[in-house]
Amino acid sequence: MTTAPGRRSSTFTRLLRHGFTDPSAADQLLNLDALASVRSDPVLLEALGATADPDLALRGLVRIAEAEAESERQVLLDTLVTAKPLRDRLLGVLGASEALGDHLARHPRDWRALVTYEAVDLHPGVAEFERGLAAAVDPDSLRVNYRRCLLTLAARDVCGTTDLAQTAAELADLATATLRAALAIARTAAPEDAARCRLAVVAMGKCGGRELNYVSDVDVIFVGEARDGVDETKAMQAATRLAAHMMRICSETTVEGTIWEVDANLRPEGRNGPLVRTLSSHLAYYQRWAKTWEFQALLKARAVAGDPELGAAYVEAVSPLVWGAADRENFVPDVQKMRRRVVDNIPADRIERELKLGPGGLRDVEFAVQLLQLVHGRSDASLHSGSTLEALRALAEGGYVGRADAAQLDEAYRFLRSMEHRIQLHRLRRTHLVPDDEADLRRLGRSLGMRTDPVAELNKAWKRHASVVRRLHEKIFYRPLLDAVAQLAPAESRLSAKAAAIRLEALGYADPAAALRHLEALSSGVSRKAAIQRTLLPVLLGWFADSADPDAGLLGFRKVSDALGKTPWYLRLLRDEGAAAENLARVLSAGRLAPDLLMRAPEAVAILGDPEGLTPRTRAHLEQEVLAAVGRAGDAESAVAVVRGVRRRELFRTTAADLIGSYGTEDNPAEQDHGALVDRVGSAVSDLNAVTVAGALRAAVRAQWGDTLPTRFAVIGMGRFGGHELSYGSDADVLFVHRPREGVSDEEAARAANTVIGEMRRLLQLPTADPPLLIDADLRPEGKSGPLVRTLKSYEAYYRRWSLVWESQALLRAEPVAGDEELGRDFIELVDPLRYPMEGLGEDAVREIRRLKARMESERMPRGADPTLHTKLGRGGLSDVEWTVQLMQMRHGWAEPGLRTTRTREALAAACAAELIPVEEAQTLDEAWVLATRVRNAVMLVRGRPGDTFPSDPREVAAVGRYLGYEPGHVGDMLDDYRRITRRARAVVEERFYGAAP
């Protein structure tokens, strides 16, 4: 029969209005014979339009109707149009779950489970679900009965009869009944095994906490004991067979599909441990070997199946261990590791759709709640709940979490879990990914009650709730600490001083009493300053706790705040400039050097809020600033005071950029190119010291001679200074050269040159708040015995007659850094033939260099130092790499222009490009040199004084590890990696420097 065009158009519009996305297909389905008796019933169309996916619901209804015998079909359709409860439940499920629609198509009579409800059916427990599964005698029948129970549960969920927490609890109760039924089937199949042992099944994770998803691994632990008179080994073997069979019954796929995976990997030793242990064996493991995360997992342990007495004994026995976990030796570093979001394993294209593990996801809420339970549950039994929402409520009632924060987290968690439930319900698949398909998003939004613009409304609500979690999941650790000391709302429940100290200690603060005093000083009172501090501190405390020395971070913040608290811009900068507060927290808690520099002039904190503030200033820019300041100063002392102030400010800029680049921030991950980090620091510090020397030189000359010194004068950078590779604690190695001006006698010129050198050194070492710059001229001809400064002609005469091979090697790093530019170029022209001798080094010279290196290794290593960990003179350290590169420069620099550089890495790259060293070996040397340089920089940053080996203090060496990118508790890995990398470098040095390689 042909449908009239007008009627078709009317039907099409009506179907669109009721939410169908494919009206043509829907019209065809409604006109099938299976729905003949109800196709024109307006009630049916209205009910379909109220579902999450009307098209899916209609397809599911047709499949059930077609699967029923004709007489049964009519009963279904008549009941559907006359009984609103059934209509809402059945169509609601069909519109939300394709998988349950498939089940009903295979088992069409199961729709009757939705017809009537007794009062007890509204909120069934384990007993009711056990009755629903009682007929199951094998895996297939268990699956069918499980899906029938799940059908009624999902109907209550989608119709709003149960809320999220009730639905999650019912899913856990259904899982409990299913585990019991599966264990009963396994026992029936092996009665002899059942007679040999007692076996208890303990639920963990979401099942243990009665907050299960629709599709989730059910985490369990098995506890077994021998029955009286049975050998324990045989009993454990029997228990293991029963447990394994029970797991297969639930996990395996049959013609009726699968239920869910039973996962026993939370047991002691994980996959490597026995599936079933005795209670005493469990306790022995937990008391001796267990890690903090294992006690966190045991928070949710609940006996659910098997021997109830044995299960209860297990839970009772492990409970004191769980609530004493915060007293364990490694609790703080474990917590620091656990607090970091684990998103590294999530593919980049999925992280933004990840509901569970992504930023602002479910894991953030669950972890925060569980950590607070572990910290405070040892003294407050009201926190001993396996349910996230119940525990969050108890934390709020006890004052451990602010009530407003708890309410926001509760709302966000419920919404995110509801999204997760609806996503999984669709196909009954284990997933935590928000779909990216428009139709899936539309169904998801409609299932959550969003009807005007489901996709846009869903994305907006999801982002809002995720943002709340992201903002609060760290703050809830710290905001109550401020309430405890600020005491602004007398009626509000708050942490006691003891509880606040306990929390700070658990989060890594070594002196919680001092930390509380700092918090009180910063945040007490009703001033605007205190109010802003109360907003900032919860976040700052989290960043401090993320470092190796939280106490130093908080103390530093108090000092800076005391110094700048009255300035109008300081707190506004931290509050309004997103990166400034985090950058400051990283800088203050990473070691001594950067905070010391900042404390000498706290206004430099403004650098941290400027988007370009961490970019090193160019040498030309700094030189212009310094020379202008010298020109304005009234005397040499005040001139150099300004110069040293600029140096201190720029050192702070460099250290801050280095620390923030090494640590990373929430918005910018840590710099992965460590070589680039090292090069930036080396260039910045070298340029800064060159400018400082130039400023001191100008000030010394102006004080006595005005604008013109009687002799042309140049400062030549040597060693790391000339190589642009200075570290924070390096001296400035230099040579001084002069050339008398026309008409000036040699004696007068030499006197002027020596006078200006002495004045420069004095000015740069005057005791002030700014760090001194030590000038070292010991690499000059004849060393300390020779004149401090020579004319260019004197250098030429000395090098022509007396120069030794080590002096030629030292000149490889020579580069003018200050003074007369023409004289500097002339000096370089003079020494080039010495450092890059024509036709390369002779064999005698090569042997002499090797002899000198061997002698240095044996004589200059400090007594008691570990040669495998000494960054300068140790195996595969800086000296090894640099001498190997310098030998190649002296042998081949005359022929390879790329080797004519003062920079080690640049020369090494040029040697590799010229095929003087294989790529793999060059990479090995470069990796070792970069690592050793970073360690030296880290030691100076952490201790505030230079050092060539790893610190011995545990907190200091941990801070070095954090700078190098190692997580807390991995100092051993850092030292092992250093030894491994430098050992490989030493092997290359043995071949390329000491061996026969050309």
Side-chain angles (χ1 to χ4, degrees):
M1 178 176 124
T2 305
T3 305
R7 178 172 173 248
R8 182 161 188 253
S9 173
S10 170
T11 303
F12 189 91
T13 304
R14 188 156 48 97
L15 291 169
L16 272 179
R17 192 170 63 248
H18 281 91
F20 288 88
T21 57
D22 189 350
S24 299
D27 189 31
Q28 290 176 2
L29 290 173
L30 286 168
N31 281 293
L32 291 174
D33 290 343
L35 300 185
S37 63
V38 295
R39 71 167 61 104
S40 57
D41 194 314
V43 170
L44 175 63
L45 201 58
E46 197 72 34
L48 286 167
T51 66
D53 188 339
D55 302 84
L56 180 62
L58 179 56
R59 287 198 300 273
L61 179 61
V62 168
R63 292 176 68 198
I64 299 169
E66 289 180 338
E68 285 276 39
E70 190 169 345
S71 59
E72 296 296 328
R73 180 191 309 156
Q74 200 55 49
V75 174
L76 165 65
L77 297 177
D78 289 345
T79 311
L80 193 66
V81 296
T82 58
K84 186 177 188 303
L86 171 69
R87 190 164 60 244
D88 291 344
R89 295 171 198 140
L90 178 58
L91 296 183
V93 168
L94 291 174
S97 178
E98 186 177 335
L100 288 175
D102 291 343
H103 171 81
L104 284 166
R106 286 197 308 275
H107 305 280
R109 296 178 66 84
D110 279 2
W111 66 266
R112 286 167 173 75
L114 304 176
V115 175
T116 58
Y117 282 100
E118 301 298 332
V120 71
D121 293 326
L122 294 178
H123 300 293
V126 176
E128 288 74 30
F129 286 128
E130 283 190 290
R131 284 197 293 273
L133 301 177
V137 294
D138 56 40
D140 279 338
S141 59
L142 180 60
R143 280 153 177 68
V144 173
N145 289 324
Y146 172 83
R147 290 290 170 90
R148 186 183 303 119
C149 292
L150 189 65
L151 176 66
T152 63
L153 191 157
R156 289 188 295 276
D157 179 16
V158 298
C159 291
T161 306
T162 53
D163 66 10
L164 169 86
Q166 292 169 326
T167 299
E170 287 186 18
L171 285 164
D173 288 345
L174 176 55
T176 296
T178 306
L179 290 171
R180 292 178 182 180
L183 184 56
I185 294 171
R187 280 175 167 160
T188 302
E192 291 144 352
D193 283 345
R196 288 193 183 103
C197 64
R198 299 166 62 200
L199 177 65
V201 184
V202 178
M204 306 284 282
K206 284 187 161 55
C207 184
R210 294 190 74 235
E211 51 185 12
L212 197 59
N213 295 329
Y214 274 100
V215 186
S216 175
D217 289 355
V218 172
D219 296 310
V220 299
I221 283 178
F222 295 106
V223 190
E225 295 288 348
R227 293 198 182 275
D228 290 342
V230 179
D231 176 73
E232 184 177 288
T233 302
K234 291 182 178 178
M236 288 301 99
Q237 291 170 347
T240 300
R241 287 191 292 269
L242 287 173
H245 190 188
M246 187 205 83
M247 292 173 69
R248 290 196 303 274
I249 289 169
C250 297
S251 304
E252 285 181 351
T253 301
T254 74
V255 292
E256 289 294 341
T258 186
I259 302 177
W260 18 247
E261 289 287 327
V262 177
D263 188 341
N265 289 333
L266 291 178
R267 67 187 184 269
E269 299 180 77
R271 293 176 185 272
N272 298 321
L275 185 61
V276 183
R277 287 177 184 255
T278 63
L279 178 56
S280 60
S281 176
H282 277 283
L283 293 178
Y285 171 84
Y286 290 132
Q287 288 164 350
R288 186 170 185 185
W289 303 110
K291 305 223 171 13
T292 299
W293 70 263
E294 293 179 274
F295 295 111
Q296 183 185 7
L298 285 169
L299 258 174
K300 296 182 180 289
R302 180 171 63 94
V304 293
D307 191 301
E309 291 181 5
L310 180 57
Y314 173 88
V315 173
E316 183 180 352
V318 299
S319 181
L321 300 176
V322 171
W323 303 114
D327 296 322
R328 289 164 57 87
E329 181 181 352
N330 293 320
F331 182 75
V332 170
D334 284 350
V335 164
Q336 287 184 313
K337 283 186 284 186
M338 289 155 58
R339 280 180 56 247
R340 288 179 182 79
R341 235 179 258 118
V342 185
V343 297
D344 294 346
N345 295 326
I346 306 173
D349 61 333
R350 295 174 58 177
I351 193 167
E352 292 302 321
R353 297 190 293 123
E354 174 64 57
L355 265 181
K356 182 177 179 179
L357 299 177
L362 293 163
R363 178 61 60 82
D364 281 347
V365 182
E366 292 162 357
F367 174 78
V369 169
Q370 289 163 21
L371 178 55
L372 289 177
Q373 285 180 276
L374 286 177
V375 171
H376 297 292
R378 50 184 163 173
S379 59
D380 189 343
S382 71
L383 304 181
H384 296 188
S385 171
S387 161
T388 300
L389 291 173
E390 287 180 10
L392 183 57
R393 184 164 55 252
L395 286 165
E397 289 172 355
Y400 304 105
V401 173
R403 289 184 184 275
D405 290 348
Q408 283 188 286
L409 277 180
D410 182 284
E411 181 188 3
Y413 186 72
R414 287 175 185 272
F415 180 83
L416 296 174
R417 282 294 305 272
S418 296
M419 279 184 70
E420 183 182 44
H421 275 191
R422 295 294 194 270
I423 291 167
Q424 293 183 349
L425 180 59
H426 180 221
R427 291 193 174 92
L428 289 182
R429 289 180 185 166
R430 182 176 181 268
T431 179
H432 309 287
L433 281 182
V434 178
D436 51 8
D437 178 74
E438 187 84 7
D440 288 337
L441 288 170
R442 180 176 182 273
R443 182 189 60 258
L444 180 56
R446 283 174 61 91
S447 75
L448 296 170
M450 302 167 184
R451 297 303 168 94
T452 305
D453 186 351
V455 176
E457 291 175 56
L458 174 69
N459 282 324
K460 182 178 179 181
W462 172 32
K463 299 303 179 190
R464 176 170 61 84
H465 286 297
S467 174
V468 165
V469 172
R470 198 159 50 240
R471 189 177 75 250
L472 289 181
H473 100 279
E474 289 284 358
K475 277 189 179 181
I476 67 168
F477 294 118
Y478 302 104
R479 195 161 2 205
L481 296 168
L482 302 183
D483 295 338
V485 295
Q487 299 182 357
L488 294 178
E492 180 81 14
S493 297
R494 63 168 56 88
L495 286 178
S496 66
K498 180 180 178 182
I502 287 171
R503 183 176 300 188
L504 281 165
E505 190 174 8
L507 292 164
Y509 288 82
D511 189 349
L516 283 172
R517 289 195 298 273
H518 299 324
L519 292 179
E520 184 172 9
L522 288 164
S523 65
S524 290
V526 293
S527 68
R528 181 174 174 274
K529 181 175 81 170
I532 295 175
Q533 288 281 23
R534 286 193 293 274
T535 301
L536 290 169
L537 277 166
V539 184
L540 286 166
L541 286 168
W543 286 325
F544 293 148
D546 195 37
S547 73
D549 195 348
D551 301 80
L554 181 55
L555 174 60
F557 181 68
R558 181 179 175 184
K559 288 180 177 178
V560 174
S561 295
D562 287 347
L564 297 178
K566 293 182 180 178
T567 59
W569 56 267
Y570 167 62
L571 289 174
R572 187 170 65 244
L573 170 81
L574 298 184
R575 183 191 64 193
D576 299 339
E577 295 296 334
E582 185 177 4
N583 289 345
L584 179 60
R586 299 298 181 204
V587 166
L588 290 176
S589 57
R592 294 180 185 174
L593 178 61
D596 285 351
L597 293 169
L598 180 60
M599 295 309 169
R600 290 167 181 166
E603 66 276 3
V605 76
I607 288 171
L608 303 176
D610 181 352
E612 299 299 318
L614 298 178
T615 303
R617 298 296 181 257
T618 64
R619 180 167 171 177
H621 178 102
L622 291 172
E623 194 159 329
Q624 183 181 20
E625 178 184 4
V626 160
L627 295 182
V630 170
R632 291 191 298 269
D635 55 57
E637 281 85 355
S638 16
V640 172
V642 175
V643 171
R644 289 173 65 178
V646 171
R647 178 170 180 264
R648 182 243 313 126
R649 182 196 71 205
E650 294 306 314
L651 271 176
F652 174 71
R653 189 192 310 276
T654 304
T655 57
D658 188 14
L659 289 166
I660 292 162
S662 297
Y663 270 72
T665 64
E666 290 189 355
D667 294 329
N668 297 298
E671 170 73 68
Q672 295 303 306
D673 186 348
H674 296 156
L677 269 176
V678 163
D679 290 344
R680 280 201 294 273
V681 171
S683 293
V685 177
S686 300
D687 286 347
L688 183 52
N689 284 357
V691 167
T692 304
V693 169
L697 173 60
R698 175 70 62 89
V701 170
R702 286 187 76 239
Q704 188 164 343
W705 295 279
D707 291 332
T708 306
L709 191 66
T711 184
R712 296 183 183 277
F713 184 88
V715 183
I716 310 298
M718 298 290 285
R720 295 185 171 281
F721 192 9
H724 300 263
E725 295 164 357
L726 283 178
S727 57
Y728 298 115
S730 301
D731 295 343
D733 289 322
V734 299
L735 298 178
F736 299 111
V737 58
H738 77 106
R739 182 161 54 199
R741 294 184 185 275
E742 192 173 342
V744 177
S745 69
D746 289 350
E747 292 78 8
E748 182 185 353
R751 190 164 51 250
N754 277 288
T755 300
V756 83
I757 292 169
E759 181 67 357
M760 283 171 60
R761 284 179 143 177
R762 182 185 75 83
L763 292 171
L764 289 174
Q765 295 178 47
L766 282 173
T768 69
D770 297 311
L773 175 60
L774 301 178
I775 294 178
D776 186 340
D778 288 352
L779 289 175
R780 65 187 182 270
E782 301 179 75
K784 292 181 180 180
S785 305
L788 194 58
V789 58
R790 291 173 181 260
T791 63
L792 189 62
K793 286 183 178 179
S794 175
Y795 275 107
E796 182 180 8
Y798 175 85
Y799 287 138
R800 183 176 62 249
R801 186 171 181 184
W802 304 109
S803 176
L804 300 173
V805 68
W806 73 263
E807 291 177 298
S808 298
Q809 183 182 355
L811 288 169
L812 285 167
R813 305 287 214 125
E815 181 173 291
V817 294
D820 190 287
E821 293 182 8
E822 182 182 348
L823 179 57
R825 285 194 296 271
D826 290 345
F827 181 87
I828 295 304
E829 189 177 328
L830 167 68
V831 301
D832 269 352
L834 292 169
R835 55 185 181 176
Y836 310 123
M838 187 62 65
E839 303 299 331
L841 285 179
E843 284 306 309
D844 288 346
V846 172
R847 278 194 296 273
E848 175 64 10
I849 288 176
R850 288 170 175 164
R851 187 188 65 78
L852 286 170
K853 175 74 168 70
R855 179 181 167 190
M856 184 178 71
E857 288 177 11
S858 63
E859 294 180 0
R860 293 182 58 189
M861 178 72 71
R863 186 185 301 274
D866 183 345
T868 67
L869 293 176
H870 198 279
T871 59
K872 185 176 181 180
L873 301 174
R875 180 193 68 189
L878 296 171
S879 174
D880 269 0
V881 176
E882 289 165 2
W883 281 60
T884 301
V885 172
Q886 288 162 13
L887 183 58
M888 287 190 285
Q889 288 181 280
M890 296 183 75
R891 298 178 91 176
H892 304 283
W894 67 276
E896 293 292 342
L899 291 172
R900 297 171 209 160
T901 174
T902 61
R903 302 173 188 241
T904 301
R905 298 188 71 217
E906 204 173 277
L908 182 56
C912 183
E915 299 183 352
L916 299 174
I917 183 172
V919 173
E920 296 79 9
E921 293 185 5
Q923 289 173 342
T924 298
L925 293 180
D926 186 71
E927 183 182 17
W929 189 89
V930 166
L931 178 57
T933 303
R934 292 197 79 214
V935 171
R936 291 184 96 202
N937 284 343
V939 170
M940 183 67 184
L941 286 167
V942 169
R943 303 178 68 194
R945 60 183 188 272
D948 289 320
T949 190
F950 290 87
S952 55
D953 179 85
R955 181 156 278 198
E956 289 179 348
V957 77
V960 169
R962 291 301 310 281
Y963 172 85
L964 296 176
Y966 290 87
E967 296 293 328
H970 287 269
V971 166
D973 293 340
M974 172 182 69
L975 299 179
D976 288 346
D977 287 347
Y978 183 86
R979 288 187 172 104
R980 175 179 53 80
I981 290 167
T982 53
R983 183 175 62 247
R984 289 171 54 215
R986 178 65 182 196
V988 175
V989 172
E990 294 285 354
E991 172 66 18
R992 294 284 149 189
F993 184 82
Y994 289 114

